[in-house]
Amino acid sequence: LAKTTQPISMDSYEGQEVNITCSHNNIATNDYITWYQQFPSQGPRFIIQGYKTKVTNEVASLFIPADRKSSTLSLPRVSLSDTAVYYCLVGDMSGDDMRFGAGTRLTVKP
Amino acid sequence: DGGITQSPKYLFRKEGQNVTLSCEQNLNHDAMYWYRQDPGQGLRLIYYSQIVNDFQKGDIAEGYSVSREKKESFPLTVTSAQKNPTAFYLCASSPRTFYEQYFGPGTRLTVT
């Protein structure tokens, strides 16, 4: 099973770029990497998904090195509303490996 | 208006009673999931279903049961065998397993 490791918490300031790294040393060939954002008392919200290299959408970028043993979620110019818990998931499309870790609690300060 | 709904938002039960949590989606998604979240913790997978009339246990299925008789519905029953049922329960759906999951608003269950 592909296990993920993330920092428990991070602090940042408004307007800064935030990079959250997820370690997944035993990622399998068929595994994808997915990131979610969760606010208190709400369900998580999908941010981005990738397999290798770099993926970018309107809210974030995902960087995956060639060995795929880690990935980095990059949030450009964060605001107070980006304060949330961010989860990294690794798994294949079979669904047999659906696991949310403890996540990273990001606090954005003014 | 497409989405995934859970009801009720808050639920209170006495210990020893079974309780069923509702989850409905009109997104035409094949896969549906149930998660449990305890305070300050991540999500733990209870059950998931990839197609109608089929479902698989997740990491913490003991004390829970599900059914998937219709594509749009995936109710979760918390039985009296679940030792610590008080938690926040989240239902999700996705077009296929492990694709982008869409989450409902959650049901907060309190058992006393």
Side-chain angles (χ1 to χ4, degrees), chain B residues 3-75:
Chain B
I4 181 164
T5 58
Q6 293 184 242
S7 61
K9 189 173 178 66
Y10 297 95
L11 189 55
F12 299 89
R13 281 292 183 271
K14 295 291 188 184
E15 194 173 320
Q17 293 179 334
N18 291 355
V19 60
T20 297
L21 281 59
S22 168
C23 178
E24 303 278 333
Q25 55 100 358
N26 60 3
L27 301 167
N28 199 33
H29 286 170
D30 289 322
M32 297 188 75
Y33 317 80
W34 274 106
Y35 294 91
R36 168 183 173 139
Q37 187 170 37
D38 293 290
Q41 305 296 314
L43 283 70
R44 290 186 290 169
L45 182 64
I46 304 173
Y47 270 98
Y48 68 100
S49 168
Q50 299 183 28
I51 56 172
V52 174
N53 292 323
D54 187 58
F55 46 83
Q56 284 78 43
K57 293 181 179 180
D59 292 332
I60 56 165
E62 185 175 347
Y64 300 97
S65 66
V66 293
S67 63
R68 186 85 187 276
E69 297 176 1
K70 299 186 295 183
K71 188 175 185 178
E72 58 270 22
S73 179
F74 192 40

Side-chain angles (χ1 to χ4, degrees), chain A:
Chain A
L1 300 176
K3 179 179 169 60
T4 61
T5 303
Q6 302 175 234
I8 293 174
S9 64
M10 294 180 67
D11 289 342
S12 183
Y13 291 92
E14 282 190 290
Q16 289 187 334
E17 177 185 75
V18 171
N19 296 309
I20 306 175
T21 297
C22 179
S23 173
H24 28 80
N25 289 322
N26 58 342
I27 188 169
T29 302
N30 295 331
D31 285 347
Y32 283 73
I33 301 155
T34 310
W35 286 81
Y36 286 84
Q37 175 193 55
Q38 186 181 27
F39 298 112
S41 298
Q42 294 185 25
R45 185 183 69 156
F46 173 89
I47 301 174
I48 199 165
Q49 185 179 72
Y51 182 80
K52 63 179 180 181
T53 61
K54 177 183 175 182
V55 180
T56 298
N57 61 23
E58 62 276 9
V59 298
S61 295
L62 177 59
F63 297 93
I64 306 168
D67 66 5
R68 302 200 328 122
K69 294 184 182 300
S70 66
S71 58
T72 299
L73 174 72
S74 181
L75 305 172
R77 298 179 299 281
V78 295
S79 64
L80 296 177
S81 62
D82 291 316
T83 293
V85 178
Y86 292 82
Y87 296 97
C88 165
L89 273 74
V90 172
D92 63 24
M93 293 299 173
S94 71
D96 292 338
D97 200 6
M98 301 291 304
R99 280 167 179 81
F100 283 77
T104 297
R105 186 173 300 276
L106 173 66
T107 302
V108 180
K109 302 175 182 179

